[in-house]
Each structure stands twice: as structure tokens, then as C-alpha cells.
Amino acid sequence: MGMNKNTVLGWATFIMILMGILLIGLGAFRYDEVAGWGFAAVGFGFWANAWVFSSLKGRV
């Protein structure tokens, strides 16, 4: 049983959501300077990409 394109997109979405949470958490709790804003912005970018991957499931 292999992984089809929807399974791959599902896993990519899941991993990107986890990375987004991790980066937002680093920005919020670890870095109090301007770097924290950058980490949080990249985390929200990961969430945006995960949303696109999630919406592509079943359409590609």
C-alpha cells in the first residue's frame, strides 16, 4: 500500500502546521526582540502554505 497524492498532501499539511506552531511559539516565548516578530511571521507563512496544501487535496 503506497502513498497517493492526497496522502502526501495530507502529511505535508500536517508537518507544516506543526512547524508553524513551533515557529510561532519560538517567536512568542523564546525571542523577545525583533527576531521574535520574524519567527512568528514565518510561522504564519507556514500556516498559509498548509492551508493551500489542504485545499489542493482531491483537486490535483
Side-chain angles (χ1 to χ4, degrees):
M1 177 165 150
M3 289 178 30
N4 60 9
K5 58 189 172 189
N6 288 328
T7 307
V8 171
L9 283 172
W11 277 108
T13 301
F14 178 70
I15 291 169
M16 291 187 84
I17 288 172
L18 287 181
M19 284 301 297
I21 291 171
L22 176 78
L23 288 169
I24 292 170
L26 277 174
F29 299 115
R30 175 68 171 97
Y31 296 104
D32 296 332
E33 303 88 25
V34 178
W37 288 97
F39 274 99
V42 171
F44 283 116
F46 267 86
W47 275 0
N49 284 336
W51 177 57
V52 169
F53 280 2
S54 177
S55 67
L56 284 175
K57 282 188 347 187
R59 289 176 168 63
V60 176

